[in-house]
Amino acid sequence: MAQLRVLAVDDELPALEDLSYLLRADPRIGEVATARDGAAALRLLDRAIADGRPIDAVFLDIRMRGLDGVVLGRLLSQFANPPRVVFVTAYEEHAVDAFEIKAEDYLLKPVRPERLAEAIRRVAVSADVPAEGGETDTIPVELGGVTRFVSSADVIYVEAHGDYARLHTATGSHLVRIPLATLEERWASAGFVRVHRSHLVAVKHIEELHIDSGKCTVRVGDTELPVSRRHTRELRDLLVRRARKARSAP
């Protein structure tokens, strides 16, 4: 894809200069605009759209005078073609806000070049995915005191733990403070289906549906999960339609 056009927003000039310097050093980025507050950022974004050169991503501080980063992020999510948002902040407690806004990443200050490079990679991949390919989402998890984002595309299944949920991926699992019902609603367009009151599964990872004596299970990787009676017929029909579509594809 073409080089990215990005906007860095921070009301502290030294932090803004450091961030813009690191962004310009990345070969995937072609243009870096800057703004010192949310209102200036909105004006710049509107002007870029009017000029036919919309911004691909906004690297956004959270605690700013006037329009703070969380409010600005929510405004950006209402755009017809919203830019990707990467939060850059000294505070960890806004990670859930970032998830709700569907931010691409959440970086803590001082920004390490390797973490910024990973955030830019996420933006570049997201910007290059065609809209008809299905939606992906990201969710913040804590790993050794560092906030990282797990993509819905990497999740095999989700297990309910009260008001929490455990995300199972090929490389491990992560406990997050988000109810399973919330993820069911958010990730329906990403190919996840509810198979049980305690489990949400990525359809693409279902390898086998097994029914024995009225009891139904699905196999995802090395794990066998129960399917509740109320979800069995719906899931079976979904997998049949999926198989037929795959066979009829050229």
Side-chain angles (χ1 to χ4, degrees):
M1 64 169 292
Q3 287 182 302
L4 297 167
R5 289 184 293 275
V6 304
L7 169 63
V9 187
D10 198 311
D11 62 349
E12 297 181 356
L13 185 57
L16 182 61
E17 290 177 339
D18 288 346
L19 178 58
S20 60
Y21 172 81
L22 291 173
L23 288 169
R24 289 188 176 96
D26 193 292
R28 292 166 293 189
I29 292 181
E31 299 178 26
V32 180
T34 61
R36 294 283 303 277
D37 58 59
L42 285 174
R43 289 194 296 270
L44 196 152
L45 288 162
D46 286 341
R47 187 162 62 250
I49 293 172
D51 291 342
R53 296 172 56 81
I55 297 294
D56 296 302
V58 180
F59 289 77
L60 179 60
D61 187 23
I62 288 183
R63 294 194 179 177
M64 299 186 296
R65 292 183 297 273
L67 193 65
D68 74 15
V70 172
V71 174
L72 178 56
R74 291 194 175 108
L75 289 173
L76 297 182
S77 69
Q78 302 303 312
F79 280 29
N81 293 295
R84 282 74 184 171
V85 172
V86 174
F87 283 118
V88 184
T89 178
Y91 305 95
E92 297 184 5
E93 61 265 31
H94 298 288
V96 172
D97 293 316
F99 167 66
E100 292 175 349
I101 296 169
K102 298 187 178 181
E104 291 294 332
D105 212 334
Y106 189 92
L107 307 182
L108 290 177
K109 297 177 180 178
V111 178
R112 292 183 287 115
E114 61 270 24
R115 277 294 287 124
L116 181 61
E118 170 63 15
I120 295 170
R121 184 195 68 80
R122 290 174 181 269
V123 168
V125 170
S126 177
D128 206 32
V129 173
E132 64 271 17
E135 294 185 12
T136 59
D137 201 355
T138 53
I139 187 168
V141 300
E142 294 294 326
L143 296 174
V146 177
T147 301
R148 298 288 177 87
F149 277 68
V150 172
S151 170
S152 59
D154 296 327
V155 176
I156 299 172
Y157 70 96
V158 186
E159 183 180 6
H161 283 265
D163 290 335
Y164 289 70
R166 183 170 293 279
L167 312 180
H168 292 266
T169 71
T171 57
S173 67
H174 311 281
L175 189 66
V176 295
R177 193 172 60 182
I178 299 173
L180 191 69
T182 299
L183 289 176
E184 178 184 10
E185 181 180 350
R186 288 289 299 271
W187 286 1
S189 60
F192 283 78
V193 294
R194 188 75 167 261
V195 299
H196 188 271
R197 62 183 176 85
S198 299
H199 295 105
L200 188 66
V201 176
V203 175
K204 67 180 180 181
H205 288 295
I206 295 177
E207 299 176 11
E208 182 179 283
L209 175 70
H210 184 66
I211 301 177
D212 184 20
S213 301
K215 294 183 178 180
C216 181
T217 60
V218 290
R219 184 167 60 85
V220 287
D222 297 328
T223 303
E224 190 170 12
L225 299 173
V227 180
S228 65
R229 192 179 298 272
R230 65 185 290 250
H231 292 294
T232 296
R233 182 170 182 176
E234 180 182 354
L235 179 62
R236 183 185 59 198
D237 291 347
L238 174 63
L239 293 176
V240 168
R241 292 195 302 270
R242 184 168 172 260
R244 287 174 178 169
K245 184 177 179 179
R247 286 197 298 267
S248 63

